[in-house]
Amino acid sequence: MRKLILIITAGILFSNCSSRRTVTSSSSPVVRENLPAPYATPSADNRSETLGWSGDKMPVAPAGFKVIKYASGLNNPRWIYEMPNGDILVSQASTRNQSANNILLFRERKGDGSFDKQSVFLSGLNKPFGMLVIGNIFYVANTDGVFTYPYQQGDTMLSGPGTKILDLPAGGYNNHWTRNILANSDNSKIYVSVGSGSNVGEHGMANEIRRANILEINPDGTGEVVYAAGLRNPVGMAWEPVTKQLWTSVNERDGLGDDLVPDYTTSVKRDGFYGWPYAYFGQHEDPRLKGQNPALVAKAIVPDVPLGSHTASLGLDFYTGTAFPAKYKGGAFIGQHGSWNRSEPVGYKVVFVPFTNGKPGTPEDFLTGFVASKNPNAVYGKPVCIRFLKDGSMLVADDTGNTIWQITSN
């Protein structure tokens, strides 16, 4: 079956279904709203301008929480990783040519906002994103492959070209150059997210080989299989703490109107197919690919939790600490980078999805204040990665605001 999906996704993906229906999730009691028909509204191009954070402006958390600048003056910080010894790594990369292409290290933040150590941990990379340590090996996912470096706990700098253990298709549509990595509980497998190279396969399926997938490999890069397919741009990945199932946050397609297609977070079934590019949110056929692959459309899995269309839902982490109030225990937090393909802006915030016994509830706002005004082109920054630290606090990477925010509970 895995081999079949690998062949299918090397140049395929989905089609079929009515334009409107009520969608319910098999793993969630939440009733999904009807989806509008494609092109119910025109496709918008409404891009935001980042003003940056000045003075005492900062994001807003619910009552009982405190927000501080963990680190500022950065260069497009995208992803965060906490090392076994507590060091914090931040990968810096962007779509622009002046991408920093490095990883920063922060050690022991002091009460005055400074650090015992702040340095470049690794440089000369090719759009780095996901990071991982297994034993004495440091992994980084560049846009063109997964690389390894010898690592000893406490190292503050790595050097050399590294060893490429897995070649990946580089770049992608919009910001789909990001490659995330996550290990399972016993470190026997690594999961690699690879976004699509197009919006809906408009460059041909030959351009989508091994894309729009979550791949599974051995720690040495061998044994690649497609763990799940049809995921247009899966970015955040995390393990749900009760069921121990893999979850991902997915940035869905553009061009069908203001309220299509919903981004989502979902449990990821092995050998599952989630519809891209032929269908969306179950068996809703994309009209641009009508009739091209009805067999795959019929197999499309309905995602668990819709997160709003064009919100650019990217970061994902589950709260397993005890510092936050009890309602947040076991819940998921998602960073929404914000819309460009919508007449009125959405996203630009961190949302919380409560979980009960491993089942998701209704999303609610958690960290807001990124939008500067009602002018859709004015935002202070855009959240991406969510990372919970061992001390129970939350870090949020704000890439265009060039800031890492830390949220603690009072």
Side-chain angles (χ1 to χ4, degrees):
M1 178 61 176
R2 290 184 224 166
K3 212 169 197 178
L4 174 61
I5 289 180
L6 179 57
I7 292 170
I8 288 173
T9 54
I12 63 153
L13 274 99
F14 242 122
S15 115
N16 187 9
C17 199
S18 62
S19 62
R20 290 176 180 266
R21 71 183 179 92
T22 298
V23 181
T24 57
S25 168
S26 61
S27 62
S28 171
V30 181
V31 176
R32 310 308 182 198
E33 295 180 357
N34 289 336
L35 297 181
Y39 310 117
T41 58
S43 179
D45 190 341
N46 190 14
R47 298 173 191 272
S48 63
E49 175 190 2
T50 302
L51 304 178
W53 301 91
S54 60
D56 58 357
K57 288 185 174 66
M58 61 177 55
V60 179
F65 289 90
K66 180 180 179 182
V67 181
I68 64 170
K69 283 185 178 179
Y70 181 86
S72 59
L74 306 180
N75 187 355
N76 220 73
R78 294 284 290 187
W79 214 244
I80 304 168
Y81 183 75
E82 184 175 20
M83 302 289 266
N85 69 334
D87 287 346
I88 304 301
L89 299 184
V90 176
S91 57
Q92 297 192 123
S94 70
T95 305
R96 301 182 300 274
N97 290 332
Q98 61 268 34
S99 177
N101 290 332
N102 63 16
I103 297 173
L104 302 181
L105 178 143
F106 299 91
R107 176 175 290 176
E108 295 290 332
R109 190 179 196 281
K110 300 177 181 178
D112 62 0
S114 65
F115 297 88
D116 284 345
K117 181 74 176 179
Q118 178 177 343
S119 62
V120 174
F121 180 74
L122 189 57
S123 61
L125 302 171
N126 184 10
K127 288 185 169 57
F129 195 76
M131 297 159 284
L132 177 65
V133 169
I134 296 179
N136 292 326
I137 300 175
F138 177 75
Y139 295 78
V140 59
N142 286 333
T143 191
D144 62 345
V146 178
F147 288 74
T148 61
Y149 297 81
Y151 169 77
Q152 294 296 323
Q153 185 164 291
D155 284 351
T156 59
M157 183 176 69
L158 303 181
S159 60
T163 300
K164 181 185 274 193
I165 64 166
L166 181 69
D167 191 60
L168 293 172
Y173 172 83
N174 260 352
N175 288 299
H176 296 191
W177 52 263
T178 60
R179 308 287 179 255
N180 196 13
I181 49 177
L182 178 72
N184 62 1
S185 59
D186 65 1
N187 293 326
S188 62
K189 297 291 182 182
I190 295 174
Y191 300 85
V192 184
S193 67
V194 185
S196 69
S198 62
N199 183 30
V200 282
E202 61 270 22
H203 305 310
M205 288 300 102
N207 185 59
E208 303 299 339
I209 295 173
R210 298 171 67 230
R211 291 183 181 270
N213 293 332
I214 293 177
L215 307 175
E216 180 188 73
I217 61 172
N218 297 321
D220 63 359
T222 63
E224 177 187 319
V225 297
V226 174
Y227 186 83
L231 298 156
R232 178 177 176 267
N233 190 29
V235 180
M237 294 188 293
W239 299 102
E240 196 283 316
V242 173
T243 63
K244 312 300 181 187
Q245 192 165 12
L246 179 65
W247 278 67
T248 188
S249 52
V250 176
N251 187 194
E252 255 288 358
R253 70 202 73 191
D254 303 312
L256 293 179
D258 276 359
D259 298 314
L260 287 178
V261 170
D263 290 352
Y264 57 86
T265 185
T266 190
S267 57
V268 184
K269 297 175 173 60
R270 180 180 287 277
D271 298 331
F273 184 72
Y274 291 82
W276 187 90
Y278 302 111
Y280 57 85
F281 226 86
Q283 290 101 42
H284 292 81
E285 186 177 41
D286 193 307
R288 295 164 291 193
L289 299 169
K290 187 174 178 62
Q292 291 193 21
N293 207 315
L296 275 179
V297 172
K299 294 179 180 178
I301 297 171
V302 180
D304 289 292
V305 184
L307 296 170
S309 299
H310 311 297
T311 57
S313 296
L314 304 176
L316 171 66
D317 204 4
F318 286 93
Y319 191 71
T320 58
T322 57
F324 280 19
K327 69 168 282 187
Y328 297 105
K329 182 79 171 181
F333 290 78
I334 296 108
Q336 297 189 326
H337 202 240
S339 61
W340 68 267
N341 187 221
R342 200 172 190 281
S343 59
E344 293 186 12
V346 289
Y348 304 105
K349 60 188 175 184
V350 175
V351 298
F352 167 68
V353 180
F355 273 64
T356 303
N357 297 323
K359 297 187 185 231
T362 303
E364 59 187 66
D365 290 356
F366 180 77
L367 192 67
T368 58
F370 289 86
V371 178
S373 69
K374 291 184 179 179
N375 178 350
N377 295 323
V379 298
Y380 297 123
K382 301 178 182 181
V384 187
C385 181
I386 310 297
R387 184 67 62 227
F388 287 106
L389 306 184
K390 296 182 183 74
D391 65 10
S393 68
M394 169 197 281
L395 293 185
V396 177
D398 171 0
D399 65 344
T400 63
N402 292 317
T403 302
I404 302 293
W405 301 100
Q406 186 171 36
I407 298 88
T408 57
S409 173
N410 291 334

